[in-house]
Amino acid sequence: MFAFHANQVLGLPLVGEFIRLGDAGVTFFYVLSGFVLTWSFSPHVSTTTFWWRRFARIWPMLALSVAIAWVLFDQSWRGSWLPTLLGLTLVEAWLRPTGAFVGNPVSWSVSCEAFFYLVFPFLIRPVLRLSLRRLAVLAAGMVAVEFGYWFLVLRFFVTPGTPEFWIELSWFLRFPLYRLAEFVLGMVAAAALLRGWRPKLNLWAALATVPAVALLLVYGTRKGWWPDLWSQQALLLPCVLVVIAAALRDMSGRGSFLSSRPLVVLGRWSYAFYLVHLGIIFVFRDLGTPLYLSWANVRALLVWVVVAVALAALCYQFFERPVETWLRRLVPVRGRHAQRAPAQRVSSATSASKEGETVAR
């Protein structure tokens, strides 16, 4: 997501078309979120305890990021109070966007994630009871929802070329009920593995589907086969394949580069990074930058990402982790101690990514 947002300010020759597909990072996060929550589900954790833990996980850092965004975006109360309130109350994604670069502009994705947390306790048991055949039907239905919804929106509800096009489109793009299909796909993938499904899926082959589909998307756009608006839908299945392949690799006991210590640490910082990165881009943009579409922009982009990672690390170490730990202790697990449900766990890197709650970010 950093590259996706930075590309809107500092473009790079040749690769800019592919970087624009980076908005699918939110799709990957939602799939991963559904997978990890299902994989780690324990019936011994009450619904209220689950909700409290999720609140402790996402809200404190969201609140801090909003305060940081107010400073970095140089906001005024008159123009920013409503987006800020909607973001902090986790309802932003249900309403039309109220402005750009106000509140914390990326908090809409956290609003969607909060909705997924709300409905997860009511979805998890029915999903876990499904047979492999019915899980496959549910997965096909979620893919149909993802593509069908987007086709209907582009065909009937938005008008390309009008001044309101992107504002209208962004509301449909962010709508939580639509994005729920991605979360449920992650749940289905985990439930299938828990039922014993073991596809022969190589991690590197799964990873290769991402650039392969990206190339097809860019080529098809150039040929006029489809508009340049289908990145999240087209990359949905590669995202699912990568998550499944990483889990299978870890279950086999072999591990992968995803479980290396640097990636695990970055995964822990990823939620804070996602929430602060756009503000860093905005500030450095206003300080003056190289010309658009130049390889000289690489140097500036490296500085931006280093500063954003450093800020995320500080937020995680001195605020996000201690506050979450303190809040979780306020509501202990009820009943018997929660068991680590599956005998084999997803990779530490995958779990760390969920701990980071990126998103998507």
Side-chain angles (χ1 to χ4, degrees):
M1 292 304 297
F2 177 88
F4 171 75
H5 287 131
N7 185 65
Q8 298 171 4
V9 178
L10 292 183
L12 297 176
L14 302 177
V15 298
E17 288 181 279
F18 298 95
I19 295 176
R20 285 205 304 272
L21 306 179
D23 57 350
V26 174
T27 297
F28 177 80
F29 166 62
Y30 289 157
V31 171
L32 178 64
S33 178
F35 184 97
V36 174
L37 284 181
T38 301
W39 192 260
S40 59
F41 170 72
S42 170
H44 304 294
V45 177
S46 69
T47 297
T48 53
T49 298
F50 170 80
W51 284 338
W52 177 255
R53 287 179 170 182
R54 294 298 89 200
F55 173 83
R57 183 71 197 92
I58 66 171
W59 195 85
M61 186 59 221
L62 174 65
L64 177 62
S65 74
V66 169
I68 293 173
W70 266 69
V71 175
L72 297 182
F73 289 115
D74 191 23
Q75 301 182 55
S76 64
W77 177 250
R78 173 175 293 184
S80 303
W81 74 269
L82 180 57
T84 298
L85 179 63
L86 296 178
L88 289 175
T89 54
L90 300 172
V91 298
E92 179 181 0
W94 294 95
L95 305 171
R96 280 180 61 89
T98 54
F101 301 118
V102 289
N104 186 345
V106 301
S107 63
W108 70 267
S109 59
V110 184
S111 177
C112 288
E113 187 71 11
F115 171 66
F116 304 158
Y117 293 159
L118 181 66
V119 300
F120 177 79
F122 307 105
L123 298 177
I124 181 60
R125 288 175 176 84
V127 168
L128 290 177
R129 286 196 294 264
L130 294 176
S131 65
L132 285 176
R133 184 185 299 274
R134 291 183 177 181
L135 286 171
V137 172
L138 179 58
M142 294 300 98
V143 173
V145 167
E146 184 84 5
F147 279 85
Y149 172 90
W150 202 232
F151 173 80
L152 292 175
V153 166
L154 295 177
R155 181 69 175 83
F156 298 108
F157 294 99
V158 295
T159 306
T162 62
E164 299 82 15
F165 173 69
W166 288 109
I167 294 295
E168 294 176 353
L169 191 67
S170 65
W171 184 83
F172 288 103
L173 177 67
R174 301 172 179 187
F175 192 54
L177 283 174
Y178 154 61
R179 303 312 292 256
L180 181 63
E182 299 160 359
F183 180 82
V184 172
L185 270 174
M187 294 181 63
V188 168
L193 292 182
L194 290 172
R195 278 205 166 269
W197 181 53
R198 297 294 183 270
K200 294 182 179 180
L201 185 60
N202 178 271
L203 176 58
W204 291 105
L207 289 169
T209 63
V210 177
V213 172
L215 283 169
L216 178 61
L217 274 173
V218 171
Y219 181 78
T221 300
R222 290 180 177 179
K223 290 291 185 178
W225 296 345
W226 45 67
D228 187 20
L229 297 168
W230 287 88
S231 56
Q232 298 186 23
Q233 292 71 31
L235 288 168
L236 174 61
L237 290 180
C239 289
V240 175
L241 291 177
V242 169
V243 170
I244 294 174
L248 288 169
R249 182 70 175 263
D250 187 68
M251 292 168 67
S252 70
R254 292 177 293 167
S256 69
F257 71 96
L258 295 174
S259 59
S260 64
R261 181 169 178 77
L263 288 185
V264 170
V265 171
L266 289 174
R268 291 170 180 162
W269 299 343
S270 59
Y271 180 50
F273 177 83
Y274 175 72
L275 289 175
V276 303
H277 79 276
L278 191 58
I280 296 298
I281 292 173
F282 185 87
V283 166
F284 277 88
R285 182 197 71 172
D286 285 355
L287 292 178
T289 58
L291 296 175
Y292 189 70
L293 287 181
S294 168
W295 287 112
N297 293 337
V298 171
R299 290 172 295 181
L301 292 173
L302 288 176
V303 172
W304 294 9
V305 75
V306 168
V307 172
V309 168
L311 178 58
L314 291 173
C315 290
Y316 174 82
Q317 189 67 32
F318 298 106
F319 181 83
E320 181 185 347
R321 185 176 65 172
V323 172
E324 179 189 358
T325 301
W326 177 73
L327 288 173
R328 286 171 66 99
R329 289 173 179 168
L330 296 180
V331 180
V333 177
R334 296 179 181 177
R336 290 179 296 171
H337 188 272
Q339 300 173 357
R340 295 174 67 81
Q344 294 173 298
R345 314 301 298 173
V346 287
S347 71
S348 55
T350 303
S351 298
S353 296
K354 182 64 184 86
E355 285 298 312
E357 297 289 346
T358 308
V359 239
R361 78 352 151 52

